[in-house]
Amino acid sequence: MSPIPTSSGSRDRGRPREFDTDEVIDVAARVFWEQGYHATSIDALCDATGVFRGSLYRTFGDKHGLLVAAFDRYAEGAVARLKERLAADLQPRQALRDALMHYTKVGARLSERRGCFITNAAIELLPGDDELRPHIESTLLRIATQLSLAVARGQQSGDFDRNLDPEDVGRFLLCLIQGMRVLGKSSASEAELTSIVDIAVRALT
């Protein structure tokens, strides 16, 4: 992204917004994901996005406002992708297993990366960040809800035990996903994480 042309800070403060907001949010999300919130300076965000400090402040308020926008963008994509995997044209049991298997592949590579943006934000900024808290809680609830709906579909088809409470199982599977992310950041292999998924799916039948 090209920076907004200007010859001085004073001119920048008076300029209208002249950049792609969605692109800036996407780039900022990657920076926060890689470095964490506290370790990311506003200068680093300006360098990465190519947008001047004053323009970022006018649009997002401050660094934290940009974080919230970046978190929401990342979370929206994460929930949408999970929903798509769970809605695949497969038997509900297979669709759920395939969706969980995605996290074994991601988890097995986390030792090389920063981890999940949602998980990282929760660990780094909660419980103290009252502004970001509802965004994190809402996202985790949406993930658990999608998992609960998948379980309910499996109960209707006879794939899963109908005596189970889908909401309880959704929360259980959310914990399983987050746990695999933590294990993946250590030394857990994809095969080891796969065995966890298989045990969980068998427990639902």
Side-chain angles (χ1 to χ4, degrees):
M1 180 187 306
S2 299
I4 302 170
T6 182
S7 59
S8 70
S10 60
R11 285 183 61 190
D12 175 53
R13 285 194 297 272
R15 276 184 171 273
R17 190 170 64 227
E18 296 179 12
F19 56 85
D20 187 324
T21 303
D22 289 339
E23 184 179 349
V24 167
I25 293 172
D26 287 340
V27 172
R30 288 196 296 271
V31 176
F32 286 129
W33 177 71
E34 291 170 357
Q35 299 183 19
Y37 175 71
H38 291 301
T40 299
S41 67
I42 191 66
D43 287 338
L45 292 167
C46 291
D47 289 343
T49 61
V51 177
F52 289 114
R53 179 189 300 251
S55 296
L56 290 179
Y57 284 159
R58 280 196 301 273
T59 305
F60 302 103
D62 55 17
K63 186 179 82 166
H64 194 272
L66 180 52
L67 170 72
V68 172
F71 178 90
D72 285 346
R73 174 66 57 81
Y74 180 95
E76 193 66 34
V79 174
R81 289 188 293 272
L82 173 61
K83 183 178 181 179
E84 182 178 1
R85 294 185 191 101
L86 292 171
D89 188 18
L90 299 167
Q91 282 294 111
R93 184 178 189 277
Q94 188 62 48
L96 177 61
R97 183 182 185 278
D98 287 355
L100 295 176
M101 286 296 294
H102 166 76
Y103 297 102
T104 70
K105 296 178 173 61
V106 172
R109 298 194 300 269
L110 286 184
S111 60
E112 306 168 5
R113 303 192 303 182
R114 287 284 305 177
C116 170
F117 189 9
I118 298 169
T119 305
N120 290 352
I123 292 173
E124 181 182 6
L125 297 169
L126 295 185
D129 194 324
D130 291 334
E131 182 180 353
L132 187 60
R133 175 192 292 277
H135 296 262
I136 294 175
E137 291 179 346
S138 173
T139 299
L140 294 176
L141 176 60
R142 291 172 66 194
I143 292 172
T145 297
Q146 291 302 320
L147 294 167
S148 297
L149 291 172
V151 171
R153 288 194 293 271
Q155 290 175 318
Q156 292 171 359
S157 69
D159 284 4
F160 299 139
D161 184 351
R162 295 189 180 185
N163 293 316
L164 296 171
D165 184 319
E167 291 188 10
D168 289 345
V169 177
R171 287 189 290 269
F172 162 73
L173 294 175
L174 173 63
C175 289
L176 181 141
I177 289 170
Q178 298 302 320
M180 288 197 296
R181 294 186 187 282
V182 174
L183 289 175
K185 294 192 73 171
S186 57
S187 59
S189 67
E190 186 174 338
E192 290 170 331
L193 297 178
T194 296
S195 70
I196 294 172
V197 168
D198 288 335
I199 290 171
V201 173
R202 285 200 301 271
L204 303 185
T205 59

